[in-house]
Structure formats: structure tokens, C-alpha cells
Amino acid sequence: MNLEINKIYHGFKALQEGFVSEVHSRAYLMEHVQSGARLLYLANDDDNKVFSIAFRTPPADDTGVAHILEHSSLCGSRKYHLKEPFVDLVKGSLNTFLNAMTYPDKTVYPVASRNAKDFHNLMDVYLDAVFYPLLYENKYTLRQEGWHYNLESPEDELSYNGVVYNEMKGVYSSPDAFLENEAMKALFPDTCYRFESGGYPDAIPQLTQEQFENFHKTYYSPENSFIYLYGDMDIAATLAYLDAEYLSQFSKTGQVQSEIPLQAPLARTAEVEAFYPVDAEEDCKGKTYHELSIVTGKAVDLQTSMSLRLLEAVLLESESSPLRRALLAAGVGQNISGSYTGSLQQPVFAIRAAGSEKDLRDKFISVIYKTLQDLTINGIDKQLLEASLNSTEFKLREADFGPYPKGLIYGLGVLDTWLYGGDPIEGLRYEQALAAMRKGLASNYYESLIENYLLDNTHKVIVTLLPQPGKEEADQAAAAEKMQRLKDGMTQEELAQYAFECAELHRLQAEPDSEESRASIPILQRSDIRRRTERIAKVEEGEANRRLVFVPAVTNKIAYTNWYFDISGVPAEQLPLCFLLSDVLGKFNTRRYSYQELSTYGIMYTGGITFNVRAVSEAENADAYRLYFSVKAKALLQNLPHVFDLLQAIGTESLLNDVQRFQELLAEIKTDWDDEFFNRGQTIAISRLYSYCAAGARANEQDQFSYYQFLKKLSDNFAEQGAAVLQQLQDLLALFFQKSRFTLFYSCDAEDKEQVKAQCLDFAAKLPEATVAVAPEILPAPGHNEGITTAGKVQYVAAGGSFAKFGHKYTGAMRVLETILRYEYLWTKIRIQGGAYGATARFELNGLGVFASYRDPQLAKSLEAYKALPAWLQTVEFPDRELDKYVIGTISGMDTPLTNSMRLDQAALQYLKQIPEELRQRIRDEVLDVSNADLQALGKVVEDMLSDGLLCVVGGKQPIEANKDKFTAIINS
């Protein structure tokens, strides 16, 4: 249906239209006349439909009201009188995306689905949630999602609890959060950006119910909304629905003042010194951060924003980046990085040095300015600029956003202009900006950007973030003292009231929704679901040890190649070296190319080359595995010869003999682990727990906590061990790239298959033969029941084991149980009642299973919840409608739309794990046919899986030591 400009369709006036070739869509910009709601529709034939509604939500303090409201609006509404309609949607929807996000100045509620009925259901629940939430009548919503006094009896210790409160405690367990918070406060002293929209933990308990309600009344109105629709849909019916069901019930007032004002430039560069917590006994050497953040222009200027984003990549993101190289050479940090934050009214360009010292601050600044001045005078390497521009163009045209629907990414992207008064349709048109940027290669365009935005600009801040040993312990002691003073100032009546409210909150949380309320959520039927598995076509060729597997696809002249070299016989003690080699490959000089040239040519000619080492277990046996070195590369067909030229240089010509370069790379890798260790806490806890149980998991764990320990030890003893380790890496390289045993998976347009295959075989023929043992050497278990301590404020609590050990096989019912536990039992026990940000359950095809919490303040209670699970499961009885919901929600996770690269990855894993199609079909049938009896039978499986009492916790030192009886070892990270 074509919409005519200035005509009104179901209350919406069409203001603008045009075909946007960049996203293969006809765009319509509209406004709902009565309510003032803005709407952008991208019409195309994509069946993965997207809806979102966004509101400008500028915070006025650090209480996190926008973030808490984002959580709370999905806790029941006018039509959907449940505790959490969002969770019921996840249980029973075929969505391809379902979430909500809080940004520094906006809140967005997006959904996506390929099923038209399901898409309509999702839209309706979200619209009812944002316009008619129950938070006004249910005062416990704020207490649950935001904060409340945690007091089970008047005699107990007083503390705070709440989902967002604990989430933000987890966020502020990372130096990144402190850096960003300090920079934004200094750069934007007069606008909403100076506040923490997610909520600063100490400020969250200042939020009152009145402020909470007023924020919703002020900003959650249609005239402050930005509605986005994408995909193949009946637009007339959709507009009619939006008008009749919601927007016609509101009238524009003109009183909503949500525009984000521009921050006046700072008169001079601001300087900030702040602190972050590290363990009381931790060595603070190399733990300081320096960051220069610069406000650069306006988000509505698409070309400048794209150019500055490109410039950040050129200067800081590759081995050939001149500013990064200069800072590393000057020794001001062990890891240099940059960022460009474009989703702000005034974007921010940042340059960071991690692994530094306090007294290197001035040197950090002087090297930046000198390097940038030299570049404006002598020019930026044109080849590097062109390479980065090619890379940008490749990503834009490929539009591969992994598991996220591309319509979703387009919708979030248009807000970068639309929210600030810009034209959202023009925000999608990147061709003109790309052409101007390419034209700029022939002039001093990029040098002038450096001069105007990075040098001749006083709107900057220099943040130095210093480690403070014992800060977390001191902060906790001060908080405990503050809570005690607060409690001492309360009357017995007040204490009794707070204890009652805490108990009442727990009662409400545990009370199930009525059948009538649950029935209000619209769901599909099991009969609506396709029963047959979606099979990935594969064409096998080659010899026994040199297999080629072609996966046909429509790729628009892009070739995808995934190589898996079998290195299973590598000695067990060399596994950490294998993971280290995969991290440093392509970052040393080769006989023909310097490492800077490798980086530049990789950006110039490819869509990315990645290296990895991974143990892949057999389908249903976690102890039978093979170890693979994988090389994944993608490029335009015309550039495939360049890909193989680069891989040949890296694989057969690398000169791993530069000890100084090796030390630089090692420091960078270790510093990245230092920075990100806490954020990786759940992955570390799960991988460590699995390593207690199975040989394949032990091999992969060598790339997690064991790898971090290896990096720290090597760094501490580099003078004695560095040269010898580097020689070991050189020796290993001959086993990585070899033609003796490999499997190649490749994908391209069918007519290009033979061309791609011939180039792949030509590359393989040039690789050396290698002799390596066929069977992997099994590592011993590292121990069990470990507590890994950090300076973090919350924990990641994992418990699990092997169910295969007790003779149980994986079934489709386990897949359904994962959904049930995530959104029923664990959701209630650990998130809702315990205050953790989340919890997950995993049952692996190979016989391992785990339950794990995320940003969890209740270590002991979470372990108790896991232990009580078998008894709950053995008696659970779901009504048919509820069980149908779980089946549909499970299928949604199984049927994620695949991009070309995702399809190739999935084909490879199915092949390497030897997963027959009959097994995949059996599992799907078991999901679709699951019964209460099937789920109850899993009570015994879970009981057996947990019977060895295996657990692993990553988190705060004090909670772990307070529960030391649960651990056989406590290890400082």
C-alpha cells in the first residue's frame, strides 16, 4: 500500500516519503494528528517485522528513575493484570527480539517477530505497558524493581535490595563505569548527561514513589513518543489499530518539555581525578587509567558523525593506527583503545590508556596532541584511511548484525537523528555521506576533522582513574555504619512497618498470577509451530582428513570461509600457549609484510579475519573431543586472493622472534583481562564448574580463568620466560596452519562455488605437512568448589554437574525446562525475591548442566534455591495453556533467523559435533510434545546432576569468605 503525502490514514498524516535504497525500503514519516505521536514506517518484504516505541527520558538526578521505570512498566498493565507480562511474553512468544533499554536520554521498547499474529500480540502488550502501567496502584513495583529496605524482622540488620539497585552495583564493579560517569559529569555540567540514567547505587534509595509516578506522567505520553515500524505488514490495519486502541485516547498538550539542550563548550579542558576499588592486598602497579574525552559536533550531522567514527577506527582500533602506536611506543599504557559514542545529542570521542601509572598523565596528553598535530601537518596514511572506509562500506552493505534483526538496528540507528529534531529518513541514507568521505581521501578532509574537533576544541575532560586498595571494603563498612545509624533513628513502629512491607513484597512475589490474569496474555498454539527442523543444506567433498563442506546461500558476491585445523594432539601443558598464539596471530611481522601492513590490508580487503582455538566435544559425550584451530574470513569475491595472500603470510611466514613486541602484546591482552574480568564472571564461573566434570570442558577452560592465571604468571616472569615462550609459539605455528588434517566450510553464491573452492584448495596446497598425535591428551580436573574473589559488589553463583554420568540422555524436555527455570523458578527465587539481575539454566547435549545467577547479592540463598529445585520439579503441574506457552517460547529460541555467517557457523558445529538430523528432529519433536510427566521426570535428572555438590562462585571477597565453608578453595583473581 502506497501512502500519499498530506493525506490522513486512521488519524496519521503522511508527512514525507521516499525510497531508501540503502535499507531496501520505502520510508514513510507520519504524525498522529490528535496525540502528536511521531511514526516512521520502513516498508519492505522482510518477514522479520519490528515495532518499537521510544520516549525522550532525560534524567534530573542519579536515582535511575528512567531505568527503574523501564523495568517497572513491564510489571503489569491495564489489560494485562499480571505481575510481569514481559515474562509471560517471553515464555510464549515466537519473538526474534524482545527487550527494553535505557539510554542516557531515551528509553526504547522494541519487539520483533516473523509471525503476524505474534507480532500484533507483542505490540499490544508493550503499548498497554507504557501507557497504562500498574505502578500507580501497586506501590510494591518500585520496591521490587528499584529499591526497598531489606528487613525480615525488626531485629535483623537493615540493608537495601532491589533488581536495578543490584544491577547497578554490578555495573559499578567495573572501572569502565567509573570512567564514563566522571567524564559525563565533567563534559555536560548543565544537561541531563551529567546524571547516571541507569542509577548510581548510593542515589537509587533516594527515589520516592511520587517522583517515580511523576516521571511516567511527564514523559510517557504519545506526544513525546517515537514509534517505529519495519517489515512486511498490513500498514493500514496497523495504523488503524494504533489509533483506535491507544493514540485516540490522548490529545496533544504541547506541555511536554523533553528536548535535550546543547551543552555550551567548556572554556578550558576539565581535569578529574577519581578512584575505583581493588582488593586490599592487590599490587596497584599498572592499574591506573587515563582517558581524554572530547565533545564533537552534533549527532544530526550524519556525514560528520560517520567521518569521526571512521577517524576513531583509523587512529585507535588497529595495529596500524598511528595514535595507538604512538601511545604504546611512549609507554603510557599497556592497552590503548578508543570509542565514539554517537547516540547522544553531542557525540563523544574518547581516547583511553589502561595499564598506566598516575605520573604518566602529562605524557599521555602530550603524546596525543603531538601525534595529532603531526598528522594534521604531514597527513594521515591514505591507504589506512581507504582501508577503513572500505571496511565501513562492507559492514553497511552486508548488514550482518548477528542474532539481532536488521530492522531493529535500523530503528535504533534512526533515533540518533530523530530524537534531536533531525530527519530520520535522511539518517538512513549513507550513500551520499560515503561518497563525500571517499572524495575526502583526495584532500585534507580528515586532517581538518582532527584540527577542528580534536585539537582546536576546549570541550574536553581528562580523567585519571586510580586504584584504591581496600576501597570496596571501606565503602561496605561505611554503608553498614550508615544503615545502622539509619536503623537506630527509626522507631519500633517504623521498623515493624518496614519488616511488614518486606514480608508483603515476598508474599506478592511468591503468589502466582490467577488463571484469569494469565489468560489475558494472547498466545499461539502448538499447532501453529512448524514441526520439521530447518535443515542447512551441505555438500561434502574431499578426502578423509581434508574435508570440504559447501553451504549454499545468497551472499551478494561475498565469500565466507571457515577453516578448522585439527590440532588435537597438542600436549596438554601447551594448551594455554595455543590460546595465546590465537590471540597474537597476525600481530607480528612476516617475511613480506610488517604487522602494520597486515592490519591495513586486512581492513582494506576483508570483512574480517578471526582466529580461535576450541575443543569441540562429540554430540552426546563431553569427554570425547577434538581440538581445533579455526580461521574465519569473509570478503568480497574479488578480494578473496588478498585474503589467502594474508593468511599465507600469517600462517607460513610469521617471524615470532621480536621479544619486545611480544611483551607489548602480552601486556595488552593481560590488561584487557584485568579490565573485563568481573564482567566475564558468569562465563568464568560456568566454564570452571564444567571443567570439574568433563575433559572437553577442561580444555576450553584453559581459555578462561586458567588463561588469566597463565597470563599473570608469564607477565610477572617475562624476563626469564618470555623468549622461550615465544619460541614455543613459533614451533606451534607449524601445527596450526597445516594441510594434514582440516575441514573447510565455505559459503557463497552457487554460481561462484567452483571459483571459491579452487582458491581455497590452492591456499591449502601451499601449507606445510604436520605430524601431531591424533588423540587429545586429557587434563586433570583443576579441583572443585572454588570461590574466585574480586573487588566486585555482587556475585556470579553457579552450581551443576554431569547428568550423563548417571546414565541420563539429553532430551527436548530439557530445552523446555531451561525456559521454565529462566522465567519461572529461577526468575522468582533469584531475581524477584533475591534481587539478582538474572539467572540462567543450561542443559548441554553432551551431558553437562548448570544453574547460574548474574549480579547476585544473595550467594547462600541462590545455592539453596538450586538445591530445592528437584523437589519443586518432581511435583510441578502446569495447566495446558501455561505449558503451551513454554513450548512456544522454547521454539522461539531454537528458530532464530540466521545470517549467512551464522548459518555457516551452525553448519560447522553440527558437522564437527556429528549431530545427525535424526537427533535434531527427535529433540524438536520432544519439545513440541512435552508433557508435565516429562518435566517431572527431570526432577531425578536434576537431583543426580547436583548430587556431587559442585559449585563455583565469582564475586566479592567478603561474601565469599563469609561462606567459606562452602568452598574447598578460595582464589584471589
Side-chain angles (χ1 to χ4, degrees):
M1 175 182 178
N2 290 322
L3 307 179
E4 296 181 28
I5 298 300
N6 292 325
K7 285 193 68 174
I8 294 178
Y9 300 87
H10 306 287
F12 287 89
K13 184 176 182 179
L15 304 175
Q16 186 180 337
E17 71 87 27
F19 186 76
V20 184
S21 60
E22 290 88 340
V23 295
H24 311 290
S25 304
R26 182 159 296 280
Y28 297 96
L29 186 62
M30 295 176 251
E31 181 177 334
H32 189 258
V33 178
Q34 179 180 326
S35 70
R38 309 162 186 84
L39 186 144
L40 174 66
Y41 170 47
L42 299 184
N44 52 60
D45 60 2
D46 192 344
D47 70 342
N48 199 359
K49 293 171 278 293
V50 178
F51 159 83
S52 77
I53 183 165
F55 303 94
R56 270 199 296 253
T57 51
D61 54 38
D62 288 319
T63 60
V65 59
H67 186 192
I68 296 168
L69 183 54
E70 174 233 304
H71 282 239
S72 301
S73 61
L74 296 170
C75 292
S77 66
R78 175 192 62 176
K79 288 185 185 178
Y80 307 107
H81 224 274
L82 294 88
K83 289 185 294 185
E84 295 189 276
F86 170 79
V87 176
D88 271 67
L89 275 179
V90 176
K91 293 175 186 176
S93 162
L94 286 175
N95 73 84
T96 55
F97 187 87
L98 180 68
N99 212 331
M101 297 91 84
T102 303
Y103 293 81
D105 56 11
K106 61 180 174 286
T107 308
V108 188
Y109 295 84
V111 300
S113 180
R114 299 171 74 182
N115 181 288
K117 181 180 175 183
D118 187 49
F119 179 68
H120 178 84
N121 294 345
L122 293 170
M123 265 199 305
D124 197 58
V125 173
Y126 263 40
L127 284 165
D128 207 61
V130 298
F131 290 129
Y132 300 104
L134 295 183
L135 59 90
Y136 294 94
E137 61 187 78
N138 182 3
K139 308 302 181 183
Y140 285 93
T141 302
L142 173 59
R143 293 181 175 98
Q144 172 180 290
E145 297 300 322
W147 73 278
H148 65 272
Y149 288 121
N150 194 37
L151 190 69
E152 295 190 4
S153 76
E155 295 75 30
D156 287 348
E157 184 178 310
L158 185 69
S159 62
Y160 293 126
N161 201 2
V163 173
V164 169
Y165 176 74
N166 289 316
E167 177 188 350
M168 296 311 294
K169 282 175 68 178
V171 168
Y172 278 91
S173 294
S174 166
D176 288 348
F178 288 96
L179 273 170
E180 181 180 349
N181 185 254
E182 294 296 340
M184 296 297 277
K185 285 192 295 186
L187 290 172
F188 299 100
D190 306 313
T191 77
C192 66
Y193 297 133
R194 71 186 184 274
F195 299 116
E196 171 56 83
S197 64
Y200 194 74
D202 290 345
I204 288 173
Q206 297 168 19
L207 180 63
T208 67
Q209 179 72 26
E210 182 182 9
Q211 291 170 322
F212 185 48
E213 293 179 9
N214 285 339
F215 197 86
H216 181 267
K217 290 174 185 174
T218 301
Y219 296 116
Y220 277 53
S221 66
E223 64 186 291
N224 189 43
S225 70
F226 301 78
I227 299 171
Y228 169 78
L229 295 166
Y230 167 94
D232 185 7
M233 68 183 72
D234 183 339
I235 188 59
T238 303
L239 295 177
Y241 153 76
L242 290 171
D243 174 61
E245 289 292 319
Y246 293 98
L247 300 181
S248 63
Q249 298 162 35
F250 297 86
S251 295
K252 186 175 182 179
T253 67
Q255 296 177 3
V256 179
Q257 300 298 317
S258 66
E259 289 77 10
I260 315 298
L262 289 172
Q263 172 66 53
L266 302 181
R268 59 186 298 274
T269 300
E271 299 179 10
V272 175
E273 187 175 284
F275 298 88
Y276 73 99
V278 295
D279 189 80
E281 300 169 3
E282 189 165 341
D283 181 3
C284 292
K285 184 179 179 181
K287 296 292 176 67
T288 293
Y289 297 80
H290 300 293
E291 183 169 278
L292 175 64
S293 296
I294 311 168
V295 174
T296 52
K298 299 177 184 178
V300 293
D301 184 346
L302 178 65
Q303 182 183 319
T304 300
S305 290
M306 287 181 63
S307 299
L308 286 168
R309 197 181 297 277
L310 176 76
L311 194 59
E312 185 274 322
V314 168
L315 294 175
L316 291 158
E317 287 191 6
S318 74
E319 298 299 328
S320 47
S321 294
L323 182 53
R324 181 173 181 274
R325 285 167 51 196
L327 288 165
L328 286 170
V332 299
Q334 296 175 337
N335 190 0
I336 305 299
S337 61
S339 63
Y340 179 81
T341 306
S343 296
L344 302 169
Q345 166 88 309
Q346 295 163 278
V348 175
F349 189 112
I351 304 160
R352 178 184 298 184
S356 188
E357 304 293 344
K358 179 179 179 179
D359 59 6
L360 292 173
R361 173 193 169 281
D362 291 346
K363 189 175 184 181
F364 168 71
I365 296 302
S366 66
V367 170
I368 290 174
Y369 288 153
K370 182 181 184 305
T371 304
L372 293 179
Q373 286 165 352
D374 287 347
L375 289 170
T376 61
I377 295 169
N378 301 314
I380 306 169
D381 181 350
K382 297 297 185 185
Q383 191 174 45
L384 179 56
L385 277 169
E386 184 182 4
S388 296
L389 190 55
N390 287 355
S391 176
T392 296
E393 187 170 356
F394 181 95
K395 290 171 185 174
L396 287 169
R397 298 199 191 290
E398 185 190 26
D400 184 339
F401 304 110
Y404 302 108
K406 60 186 177 183
L408 167 73
I409 304 303
Y410 296 151
L412 294 175
V414 298
L415 290 171
D416 290 352
T417 53
W418 199 13
L419 199 78
Y420 312 117
D423 184 339
I425 297 178
E426 289 306 309
L428 293 164
R429 299 186 193 277
Y430 59 74
E431 291 286 7
Q432 185 175 346
L434 276 180
M437 290 163 68
R438 199 165 288 282
K439 185 178 179 182
L441 295 174
S443 67
N444 68 340
Y445 172 67
Y446 294 96
E447 290 79 5
S448 67
L449 288 176
I450 291 177
E451 190 167 1
N452 294 331
Y453 289 99
L454 305 186
L455 289 173
D456 297 342
N457 177 1
T458 57
H459 203 163
K460 305 172 183 173
V461 61
I462 301 161
V463 179
T464 295
L465 189 67
L466 302 165
Q468 184 173 331
K471 183 179 188 299
E472 180 60 27
E473 293 86 344
D475 287 349
Q476 288 187 9
E481 184 179 330
K482 175 185 173 184
M483 296 306 293
Q484 187 59 50
R485 286 198 308 271
L486 191 61
K487 185 181 179 186
D488 290 343
M490 294 176 180
T491 66
Q492 284 302 309
E493 290 76 13
E494 288 174 323
L495 290 171
Q497 178 63 25
Y498 289 133
F500 168 78
E501 290 176 359
C502 188
E504 181 66 6
L505 175 60
H506 291 164
R507 185 191 69 78
L508 292 170
Q509 290 169 334
E511 186 176 67
D513 289 311
S514 69
E515 286 303 311
E516 182 183 1
S517 296
R518 286 176 181 260
S520 68
I521 292 286
I523 67 167
L524 303 175
Q525 304 299 316
R526 294 199 206 191
S527 56
D528 294 330
I529 309 300
R530 169 177 48 83
R531 181 164 284 271
R532 190 171 184 274
T533 59
E534 189 170 343
R535 303 192 176 194
I536 300 175
K538 296 186 282 286
V539 180
E540 286 188 55
E541 300 175 275
E543 309 161 15
N545 291 328
R546 301 182 180 100
R547 303 297 299 167
L548 276 69
V549 181
F550 175 62
V551 178
V554 177
T555 68
N556 297 316
K557 298 300 177 182
I558 295 175
Y560 299 83
T561 64
N562 290 9
W563 300 80
Y564 290 82
F565 297 95
D566 191 334
I567 58 170
S568 297
V570 170
E573 70 272 9
Q574 291 192 345
L575 278 174
L577 297 174
C578 291
F579 293 111
L580 180 57
L581 181 56
S582 72
D583 278 348
V584 301
L585 270 174
K587 298 176 182 178
F588 282 92
N589 293 335
T590 70
R591 287 199 295 272
R592 287 183 292 135
Y593 303 118
S594 68
Y595 70 82
Q596 295 97 330
E597 289 173 323
L598 288 176
S599 175
T600 300
Y601 295 152
I603 299 167
M604 173 83 79
Y605 297 117
T606 83
I609 298 175
T610 60
F611 306 108
N612 194 22
V613 172
R614 180 180 177 185
V616 179
S617 67
E618 289 182 5
E620 297 182 277
N621 188 346
D623 287 319
Y625 71 92
R626 304 208 65 76
L627 191 68
Y628 293 100
F629 164 60
S630 66
V631 181
K632 297 181 182 180
K634 57 185 176 181
L636 292 171
L637 189 65
Q638 67 201 46
N639 289 330
L640 204 54
H642 292 291
V643 171
F644 291 126
D645 179 58
L646 291 171
L647 289 179
Q648 184 178 348
I650 293 168
T652 65
E653 302 170 20
S654 286
L655 304 173
L656 305 186
N657 55 11
D658 186 338
V659 177
Q660 183 178 345
R661 173 66 177 157
F662 181 39
Q663 187 171 21
E664 182 181 287
L665 290 170
L666 178 65
E668 184 180 328
I669 296 166
K670 177 188 167 293
T671 301
D672 179 66
W673 266 94
D674 290 338
D675 293 349
E676 294 297 322
F677 186 86
F678 185 79
N679 291 334
R680 296 169 180 165
Q682 189 179 71
T683 300
I684 291 166
I686 291 174
S687 68
R688 193 73 173 179
L689 186 140
Y690 277 174
S691 75
Y692 305 157
C693 311
R698 285 197 281 281
N700 283 326
E701 196 280 328
Q702 294 294 304
D703 193 31
Q704 293 297 325
F705 183 56
S706 292
Y707 186 50
Y708 184 41
Q709 291 178 306
F710 164 76
L711 292 173
K712 290 198 294 184
K713 184 177 179 181
L714 179 55
S715 297
D716 291 343
N717 300 280
F718 190 84
E720 299 81 18
Q721 300 176 3
V725 168
L726 190 55
Q727 181 58 53
Q728 288 178 290
L729 296 182
Q730 182 74 68
D731 295 341
L732 271 176
L733 185 59
L735 302 180
F736 273 38
F737 285 91
Q738 40 87 5
K739 59 184 174 187
S740 305
R741 285 204 308 277
F742 68 80
T743 305
L744 165 67
F745 300 87
Y746 66 107
S747 189
C748 60
D749 296 307
E751 65 267 24
D752 300 320
K753 173 181 179 291
E754 292 305 317
Q755 180 184 348
V756 173
K757 174 184 168 184
Q759 293 185 54
C760 289
L761 290 173
D762 181 60
F763 165 69
K766 296 173 183 175
L767 298 178
E769 296 279 0
T771 303
V772 63
V774 174
E777 183 180 335
I778 305 302
L779 281 165
H784 65 280
N785 294 19
E786 296 161 313
I788 301 171
T789 65
T790 72
K793 298 175 174 66
V794 285
Q795 286 66 245
Y796 302 90
V797 183
S802 169
F803 57 83
K805 170 184 173 181
F806 298 92
H808 304 297
K809 289 279 191 180
Y810 182 89
T811 67
M814 292 179 180
R815 189 73 185 255
V816 179
L817 181 57
E818 288 181 353
T819 306
I820 292 172
L821 295 180
R822 286 175 189 152
Y823 300 111
E824 181 78 31
Y825 182 86
L826 295 178
W827 183 275
T828 300
K829 294 285 187 182
I830 290 177
R831 178 182 167 110
I832 300 305
Q833 296 177 351
Y837 185 58
T840 190
R842 281 166 49 180
F843 296 92
E844 312 286 357
L845 185 58
N846 62 20
L848 302 182
V850 67
F851 311 120
S853 64
Y854 187 84
R855 293 180 179 170
D856 185 355
Q858 309 275 5
L859 189 162
K861 287 185 178 179
S862 292
L863 290 174
E864 287 302 315
Y866 301 153
K867 287 180 184 177
L869 175 55
W872 175 83
L873 192 53
Q874 286 167 357
T875 60
V876 73
E877 187 81 28
F878 292 106
D880 289 346
R881 188 176 189 278
E882 195 68 9
L883 194 52
D884 286 349
K885 275 199 285 191
Y886 286 122
V887 169
I888 293 162
T890 301
I891 289 291
S892 174
M894 297 170 69
D895 287 354
T896 302
L898 301 176
T899 64
N900 287 324
S901 59
M902 290 169 67
R903 185 178 295 104
L904 192 63
D905 287 344
Q906 193 169 106
L909 278 180
Q910 289 175 13
Y911 185 92
L912 297 174
K913 283 179 169 288
Q914 303 171 49
I915 303 174
E917 290 296 339
E918 295 76 20
L919 176 58
R920 294 182 64 235
Q921 186 62 58
R922 172 177 67 77
I923 291 170
R924 189 177 183 90
D925 288 341
E926 289 169 347
V927 168
L928 289 170
D929 297 334
V930 74
S931 67
N932 278 302
D934 296 328
L935 295 170
Q936 291 164 1
L938 292 178
K940 175 60 175 170
V941 176
V942 173
E943 183 179 22
D944 288 343
M945 187 179 88
L946 295 175
S947 63
D948 288 331
L950 299 178
L951 61 94
C952 182
V953 177
V954 176
K957 188 172 185 178
Q958 289 182 340
I960 287 176
E961 290 186 341
N963 292 274
K964 60 185 178 183
D965 59 311
K966 295 176 170 48
F967 304 104
T968 59
I970 295 177
I971 308 168
N972 191 339
S973 64

